[in-house]
Amino acid sequence: RGMGAAMAGIAAVMGTGKLLKNADALGKNAAAAGLSVEAYQRLQFGFEQAGVSQAGFEKGQKTLNKIMADAGDGTSSAVDALAAVGLTFEDLAAMAPEERMLAVARGLDEIEDAGLRSAAAAELMGREMGTVTLDADQIISDGEGIAVVNEDAAAQAAIMNDTMNRLGVTMTNLATNVIVPLIAAIAPLIESIAEFAQDN
């Protein structure tokens, strides 16, 4: 019974660790994308339901942000890429960050030719976006249908995760500082035993 309780405790701690890492990652990813934690989760889930992986979603954010920045600098290729979906730098700059990918998805829906639509999606939001059909209204609907980690929980998870990481590194280093000198001290004895065994 004691062993069972111990194993259950370990499993619970491991599960808690995963929850902390997940919430911590959500907070960091949302901050990097310039989104609230809630908006990030809803948008990412909506794109996931459309067939876009987590990595593809993150790349989509980065690619669109780069295109937007380049268009703001007047780079003709970026200006043309946005124009293909009926958008300008000024249009995107006036939107909340979570609305930009949806605006692009709506613009893509206006391109009738599937090949041109796929090419435009890949250019604006990464290659993976060009392999799926993006329905902005469906993405929003799917995202609204989930429970989300709130901002406070994500912030506290980041603190706890960092604390647990520091504790793990500290314990490993302390153990190393104790064990390595002990091993070094008995190394001559181990070597003598090995030599004796070899000679006999």
Side-chain angles (χ1 to χ4, degrees), residues 28-107:
K28 288 180 169 64
N29 290 341
L35 303 174
S36 70
V37 172
E38 178 178 333
Y40 178 88
Q41 290 170 86
R42 295 193 188 285
L43 193 60
Q44 189 274 322
F45 183 80
F47 273 89
E48 181 181 0
Q49 293 301 101
V52 179
S53 68
Q54 173 79 21
F57 174 74
E58 291 173 5
K59 183 172 183 180
Q61 286 277 345
K62 292 175 185 175
T63 302
L64 182 56
N65 287 343
K66 177 72 164 57
I67 291 283
M68 180 181 166
D70 288 347
D73 291 336
T75 304
S76 59
S77 60
V79 171
D80 291 344
L82 290 177
V85 291
L87 293 169
T88 65
F89 165 77
E90 290 75 18
D91 293 331
L92 294 179
M95 298 176 187
E98 61 269 24
E99 295 173 350
R100 293 171 185 159
M101 292 179 79
L102 296 170
V104 170
R106 288 195 173 91

Side-chain angles (χ1 to χ4, degrees), residues 63-167:
T63 302
L64 182 56
N65 287 343
K66 177 72 164 57
I67 291 283
M68 180 181 166
D70 288 347
D73 291 336
T75 304
S76 59
S77 60
V79 171
D80 291 344
L82 290 177
V85 291
L87 293 169
T88 65
F89 165 77
E90 290 75 18
D91 293 331
L92 294 179
M95 298 176 187
E98 61 269 24
E99 295 173 350
R100 293 171 185 159
M101 292 179 79
L102 296 170
V104 170
R106 288 195 173 91
L108 289 168
D109 198 41
E110 298 298 316
I111 301 176
E112 293 185 8
D113 185 276
L116 293 177
R117 185 169 59 247
S118 175
E123 183 175 9
L124 287 164
M125 296 190 293
R127 184 167 48 197
E128 189 174 336
M129 295 289 186
T131 66
V132 297
T133 300
L134 300 173
D135 181 332
D137 291 333
Q138 187 62 50
I139 289 169
I140 292 171
S141 177
D142 289 336
E144 288 176 346
I146 63 168
V148 296
V149 174
N150 62 45
E151 296 277 351
D152 187 51
Q156 290 182 22
I159 294 170
M160 284 298 300
N161 204 39
D162 291 345
T163 299
M164 295 298 288
N165 286 340
R166 280 194 296 273
L167 179 61

Side-chain angles (χ1 to χ4, degrees), residues 179-193:
I179 293 171
V180 169
L182 288 175
I183 293 174
I186 65 172
L189 175 60
I190 295 172
E191 187 174 340
S192 297
I193 294 172

